[in-house]
Amino acid sequence: MTSLQIHFQVDSTVEIEQKLIRQRNGKLLVDIQGKLEILVNGKCFFLEPALALLEFGVALSKWDRMNDFYYYTMEHDEREGPIIAFIHDDRGWRLDSIWREFDCEERLPDYTITEAVDYFLANVDGAFMRYYGINTRDFI
């Protein structure tokens, strides 16, 4: 069975203006950053030490999970391709990224993607609440 884990670490050293937090200012989407690591069967597929975690969390929260998921960041030229993609075909979900560590040929079942994304969102929202008093739903 294929496993998928999405780990993160909020960069709490970045100074975030309280005024922006109170206003739920859209600037926070790129200001709140941290490390993001995606593991497939325990092997690092994706690692970025300074990803816009709030923006990524909002994008995942909006994803309906019936369609492919493509994450592009405001901070990067999307013509190069998606930072992270979950692409569905008749064999399951395939992971892709322009910053991937390896080509992931394995297909992931629906429940594996769903569990990993739900777990990530619950934990990242908990971290955002602890550090900033916000969550991804505040920006949808």
Side-chain angles (χ1 to χ4, degrees):
M1 178 165 54
T2 305
S3 70
L4 176 68
Q5 297 174 315
I6 306 172
H7 298 289
F8 72 94
Q9 182 176 11
V10 175
D11 183 353
S12 59
T13 64
V14 174
E15 291 290 324
I16 304 292
E17 293 180 47
Q18 289 301 309
K19 177 181 171 184
L20 296 177
I21 293 171
R22 283 191 305 277
Q23 296 172 340
R24 304 299 195 255
N25 190 296
K27 185 176 180 312
L28 295 172
L29 290 169
V30 293
D31 285 354
I32 295 178
Q33 298 194 5
K35 177 181 173 182
L36 183 73
E37 181 178 31
I38 299 176
L39 304 171
V40 177
N41 292 331
K43 184 176 176 186
C44 182
F45 169 77
F46 178 92
L47 177 62
E48 174 55 41
L51 188 86
L53 286 178
L54 179 56
E55 181 187 49
F56 180 62
V58 168
L60 277 177
S61 294
K62 290 179 178 179
W63 179 39
D64 68 11
R65 302 184 194 182
M66 299 301 293
N67 296 302
D68 296 343
F69 171 78
Y70 297 96
Y71 169 65
Y72 300 92
T73 179
M74 291 183 252
E75 300 180 297
H76 190 74
D77 186 347
E78 72 178 51
R79 291 177 291 187
E80 293 182 33
I83 305 302
I84 298 170
F86 303 147
I87 304 162
H88 194 266
D89 63 27
D90 58 344
R91 295 180 12 218
W93 291 94
R94 178 175 61 86
L95 271 63
D96 198 11
S97 171
I98 58 171
W99 298 340
R100 67 187 170 271
E101 299 287 323
F102 65 91
D103 290 333
C104 185
E105 299 299 323
E106 297 202 45
R107 296 301 191 265
L108 304 168
D110 290 343
Y111 65 86
T112 300
I113 290 280
T114 299
E115 284 180 8
V117 168
D118 287 348
Y119 187 79
F120 168 79
L121 288 172
N123 285 295
V124 83
D125 271 344
F128 291 158
M129 190 56 69
R130 279 191 308 281
Y131 287 114
Y132 310 112
I134 61 172
N135 60 47
T136 55
R137 290 177 300 285
D138 293 336
F139 295 87
I140 295 176

